[in-house]
Amino acid sequence: MSDEKKPFHNPFGALSALKASLPQGEAPRPPAEKVKRAPPKAVVRLERKGRNGKEVTVIEQLALSPKDQEAWLKQLKSSLGCGGALEDGALVVQGDHRERVAAWLTKQGVKQVSVG
């Protein structure tokens, strides 16, 4: 009759005998993630020279790693709805977005934003 009550094999049935040998208490918690701090300063300026008269907004002096620069550029482009690129450690977005970029940087936690 025991075969009728258990129609299939339970692969974890043998582990129930080992349950008593487990240590009591809470499971160890993983270490908390480090909070990434925003850079303390950024300079935002408009540039036309050498770009055939097209306007671009350049964000310089961000003390970010190359990986973080790419992530910030992606977020900034999607927030502004425009194109952009990384050039010599500076974030460059298409168009005149100085005020919007300054507001976005402040929202990200940059303490000092200089708009030129």
Side-chain angles (χ1 to χ4, degrees), residues 41-45 58-62 105 112-116:
K41 181 180 176 184
V43 176
V44 180
R45 63 183 173 84
V58 181
I59 303 103
E60 297 177 315
Q61 298 183 13
L62 283 172
L105 289 169
Q112 182 182 0
V113 179
S114 302
V115 180

Side-chain angles (χ1 to χ4, degrees), residues 52-72:
N52 295 327
K54 304 228 171 150
E55 296 178 338
V56 295
T57 305
V58 181
I59 303 103
E60 297 177 315
Q61 298 183 13
L62 283 172
L64 294 172
S65 68
K67 184 178 178 182
D68 289 338
Q69 284 180 344
E70 290 176 14
W72 277 48

Side-chain angles (χ1 to χ4, degrees), residues 15 78 89:
L15 295 176
S78 67

